Amino acid sequence: MKITNRIYAINLFINRAYLIVGDKLILIDSGFPGSAHRIIKFIRSIGRNEKELKLIILTHYHIDHKGSARKLKSLTGAKIAAHVLDAPYIEGKIGAFRKVKNPFGQFFLFIAEILFLYERVKVDILLKDGDEINHLKVIHTPGHTMGSISLYDSIEKVIFSGDTMPPQLGKMGWSRNPYSVNSKMEKESLKKLMKLDFEKFLPTDGKMVLKDAKRVLSQFV
C-alpha cells in the first residue's frame, strides 16, 4: 500500500513493515520469520531490487518485528539498526521473555524464543534517543520494551511508532499489553510523541492513522 510517494506499507502475517524508497531502500521492522520473501516480492513489484535494501531498522526485539531480519540481511546485505537497550535481545544474548511480568506474555515469548532460536541477528548500528539515521529521527519510546523506538520523518510529517501505540487506538480505552514491560512508561512515551508535528501515524501493529493523526491521537492520549 502506498502511503506517500516515498513510503509504502507491506502487509505481512498479522502486522506490517514499512519501506522507505529513495536512492536506497530502508525497511522498518521485518515481520515474523518467513516474511523475507514476501518483502522482497513487494520490493520487486514497485520496480526496485532487493539489493538496494541497505538498512533495516527494528523498533524493538519482539519476534514479530525482528523475525525476518536475519534472512533479509543474508539475502540483501542490509545493515541492522536498533536501540542499544534492545540490541542484546535481538542478538540472543538475553532472553526476550525476561522483563515481561504478565505470565501469558512471558510464556509466549519463551516459546517463540525456543521455536525461532536461529533468528537472532547481529545489530550493526546501535541507536539512542535523538540520533538521526537517513533523515529519520530516533525517538526513544520505552514501555513496550525498554529499548523501543519510534521514528520521526519530519519531511513527510510521519511517525513510525512500532508497538508504542496499543492496537485498540480509537476505542478510547487502554488495556495492558501482555508483552509490555511497563505500561506507565508506554503512556509517557505516547505523550512524548504528541510533542512532534505529524500528520500520519504508522504503527507496525494495529490501525494506521493517515489523516489528521495528531488530533486523533490527542483524543486517545
Side-chain angles (χ1 to χ4, degrees):
M1 176 182 176
K2 191 172 187 178
I3 306 295
T4 73
N5 286 334
R6 295 170 51 250
I7 299 170
Y8 292 84
I10 307 174
N11 290 322
L12 302 173
F13 174 50
I14 59 170
N15 58 11
R16 65 184 73 86
Y18 294 100
L19 186 71
I20 303 176
V21 302
D23 293 338
K24 57 186 176 183
L25 303 178
I26 300 169
L27 188 72
I28 300 174
D29 286 329
S30 68
F32 272 105
S35 300
H37 288 291
R38 185 164 189 168
I39 290 168
I40 287 173
K41 183 179 179 181
F42 182 88
I43 289 171
R44 292 173 179 173
S45 77
I46 61 169
R48 304 296 292 260
N49 187 284
E50 64 269 21
K51 295 295 184 182
E52 297 178 82
L53 180 62
K54 301 300 181 183
L55 179 65
I56 301 167
I57 306 175
L58 301 177
T59 60
H60 62 286
Y61 63 71
H62 287 159
I63 193 64
D64 57 328
H65 295 254
K66 75 164 188 177
S68 290
R70 182 188 64 84
K71 184 68 171 179
L72 286 166
K73 183 177 184 177
S74 171
L75 293 172
T76 68
K79 292 188 178 299
I80 307 293
H83 193 273
V84 62
L85 292 179
D86 269 20
Y89 298 88
I90 293 167
E91 295 179 340
K93 296 174 182 176
I94 305 176
F97 61 91
R98 293 194 177 276
K99 292 285 186 180
V100 177
K101 295 180 176 64
N102 182 284
F104 171 80
Q106 191 177 62
F107 175 74
F108 181 85
L109 290 173
F110 176 72
I111 294 301
E113 196 154 320
I114 293 172
L115 290 175
F116 302 117
L117 181 65
Y118 297 104
E119 298 307 338
R120 56 188 63 176
V121 62
K122 177 176 169 47
V123 177
D124 304 294
I125 303 169
L126 297 174
L127 304 173
K128 60 184 186 301
D129 189 50
D131 283 351
E132 296 271 349
I133 183 164
N134 288 271
H135 77 264
L136 297 170
K137 185 174 182 179
V138 176
I139 313 294
H140 185 208
T141 46
H144 190 57
T145 68
M146 293 309 295
S148 285
I149 59 172
S150 299
L151 299 160
Y152 178 53
D153 185 333
S154 60
I155 299 171
E156 301 280 9
K157 293 190 176 181
V158 167
I159 293 176
F160 302 92
S161 64
D163 279 358
T164 299
M165 171 58 73
Q168 73 271 25
L169 169 62
K171 297 180 182 177
M172 298 302 129
W174 185 284
S175 62
R176 290 177 180 269
N177 189 317
Y179 308 110
S180 294
V181 299
N182 191 312
S183 180
K184 183 178 179 180
M185 290 178 75
E186 276 186 301
K187 295 176 184 179
E188 292 304 312
S189 289
L190 275 178
K191 292 177 184 177
K192 183 178 181 179
L193 292 179
M194 289 305 302
K195 297 176 182 178
L196 301 171
D197 178 25
F198 61 97
E199 296 173 356
K200 294 179 174 60
F201 191 85
L202 305 179
T204 308
D205 296 347
K207 178 182 178 182
M208 294 186 292
V209 185
L210 302 179
K211 184 179 179 182
D212 203 14
K214 188 160 187 173
R215 180 187 62 80
V216 174
L217 263 70
S218 66
Q219 291 177 352
F220 182 87
V221 171

